[in-house]
């Protein structure tokens, strides 16, 4: 039986999921998506490859979860545009500025 250091199963799953996504993101950036495989992700996390399947069905699902995690704060900020910029033209300009920020510096977006 594997050792669980979290106070409960849900927290353990959350922690492991975060570890998997962090390792996968690091490998995707270093090796590229195509050159990263489940064996490499599992090794980086310290899990057996078959243990990854408890959390994700495949590498595509891991990539999607990485993108969702990384984009979460951006999406929250986009939802705030309606109230922050009641004028539609100002809202469009703010949206465009956010898109430019994202495209030019995705590792350190201004909204974080």
């Amino acid at each position: 039986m594997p050792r669980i250091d979290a106070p409960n199963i849900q927290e353990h799953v959350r922690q492991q999921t975060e570890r998997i996504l962090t390792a996968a993101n690091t490998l995707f950036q270093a090796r590229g998506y195509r050159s990263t495989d489940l064996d490499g992700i599992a090794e980086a996390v310290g899990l057996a490859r078959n243990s990854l399947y408890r959390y994700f069905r495949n590498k595509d699902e891991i990539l999607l979860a990485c993108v969702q995690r990384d984009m979460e704060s951006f999406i929250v900020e986009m939802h705030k545009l309606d109230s922050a910029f009641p004028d539609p033209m100002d809202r469009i300009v703010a949206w465009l500025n956010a898109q430019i920020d994202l495209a030019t510096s995705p590792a350190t977006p201004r909204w974080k």
Side-chain angles (χ1 to χ4, degrees), residues 53-83:
Y53 294 111
R54 295 179 185 164
Y55 302 94
F56 298 98
R57 289 181 290 185
N58 54 46
K59 185 174 72 167
D60 293 341
E61 198 172 274
I62 293 172
L63 176 64
L64 178 60
C66 285
V67 170
Q68 288 173 330
R69 180 186 70 168
D70 292 347
M71 293 298 295
E72 186 174 343
S73 62
F74 180 75
I75 292 168
V76 167
E77 290 303 313
M78 293 299 98
H79 286 294
K80 292 179 183 177
L81 289 179
D82 281 343
S83 59

Side-chain angles (χ1 to χ4, degrees), residues 8-25:
N8 56 53
I9 297 295
Q10 291 81 12
E11 180 62 15
H12 172 73
V13 169
R14 189 197 66 72
Q15 289 174 1
Q16 285 292 85
T17 300
E18 187 64 25
R19 290 178 63 225
I20 292 165
L21 295 179
T22 298
N25 196 35

Side-chain angles (χ1 to χ4, degrees), residues 42 48-49 63 98 104:
R49 179 183 169 153
L63 176 64
T104 58

Side-chain angles (χ1 to χ4, degrees), residues 43 66 91:
E43 182 180 334
C66 285
R91 193 174 320 129

Side-chain angles (χ1 to χ4, degrees), residues 83-98:
S83 59
F85 300 96
D87 179 82
M89 187 59 78
D90 291 341
R91 193 174 320 129
I92 290 169
V93 169
W95 182 85
L96 286 170
N97 285 333

